[in-house]
Amino acid sequence: IRQVGYVPDAGHSRLIRRCIDDPNIADVVLTTEEEGVGLVAGAALGGQRAALLMQSSGVGNCFNMFSLIKNCAFPCLVLVTMRGEFAEFNPWQVPMGAITDDCFRLCGFLVYRIDDPDDVADVVGAACDARRGLRHHGAALDEAGARRDALARRAERAVAHAQARQGRRGDAHRRDAGAARGSIRGDRSPSIRP
């Protein structure tokens, strides 16, 4: 692999740093993940191999562009840090996290899940080998099990966040209900003044 495209991501930070430090790899910072599909296509046309690094939410941004990879049979390796799975603290990550595997498969990718950090080299190696075939594209997904310690911390934060949010939601609900009753009666409630 001579080119690696990525949108900066803490989950890939060590790999990104290694790519930056490797003089044989052109690291390309992308503004959006779908730009990486063009990078992969250009690398293949120029006789090089490229890989993409992204979060699972970025896969949704690429869905339409992956048709270029499939129709032109460009080899493509995508390494994904999964979000939206067990103990996710950000609810916006959950919808795409739930369908990432399916999206990749619909786009013609072979999907490899990493359950154990000790398996990373073997799984990524298998994905690289599979993508060398003309019609195969590999996606290695870093599953929640590979980040047990991080998940434990996320779970603790998620519980604390949910508890805090529940308290705020109750206060906001009471305030909004009072404001709505006041506006129905024509009152100018202090909570809804411009």
Side-chain angles (χ1 to χ4, degrees):
I1 293 178
R2 293 287 177 239
Q3 300 180 39
V4 176
Y6 59 91
V7 173
D9 169 38
H12 285 299
S13 61
R14 288 178 55 201
L15 181 54
I16 291 169
R17 175 56 45 205
R18 291 183 74 175
C19 292
I20 292 169
D21 292 342
D22 189 330
N24 296 316
I25 293 179
D27 63 285
V28 181
V29 180
L30 308 169
T31 55
T32 63
E33 292 83 0
E34 61 267 29
E35 289 176 354
V37 176
L39 175 77
V40 167
L45 291 171
Q48 293 187 344
R49 294 183 304 178
L52 300 177
L53 312 178
M54 65 182 71
Q55 286 186 357
S56 53
S57 55
V59 174
N61 296 338
C62 297
F63 201 65
N64 192 41
M65 288 294 291
F66 282 147
S67 63
L68 176 69
I69 298 293
K70 185 174 183 176
N71 289 334
C72 296
F74 293 132
C76 181
L77 174 66
V78 184
L79 302 178
V80 178
T81 53
M82 290 301 295
R83 297 288 308 268
E85 293 187 326
F86 177 75
E88 175 62 57
F89 67 93
N90 181 349
W92 294 101
Q93 297 284 353
V94 174
M96 193 62 219
I99 62 171
T100 301
D101 297 48
D102 295 333
C103 288
F104 271 123
R105 286 188 181 96
L106 287 169
C107 292
F109 283 79
L110 298 175
V111 177
Y112 302 87
R113 280 277 187 165
I114 300 171
D115 295 320
D116 188 327
D118 295 333
D119 295 337
V120 170
D122 291 336
V123 173
V124 172
C128 286
D129 290 342
R131 78 180 199 102
R132 284 190 187 121
L134 188 59
R135 292 255 180 222
H136 294 297
H137 324 294
L141 308 179
D142 172 17
E143 188 159 321
R147 299 179 288 166
R148 285 183 199 95
D149 293 340
L151 280 176
R153 289 190 301 274
R154 277 190 186 167
E156 292 168 1
R157 284 195 313 261
V159 168
H161 181 71
Q163 290 170 339
R165 190 174 57 209
Q166 187 61 38
R168 287 192 306 269
R169 201 178 276 156
D171 294 341
H173 177 71
R174 286 186 290 279
R175 184 179 59 249
D176 292 345
R181 282 192 298 276
S183 65
I184 290 171
R185 291 192 310 254
D187 297 346
R188 295 279 303 175
S189 171
S191 62
I192 59 170
R193 286 189 184 155

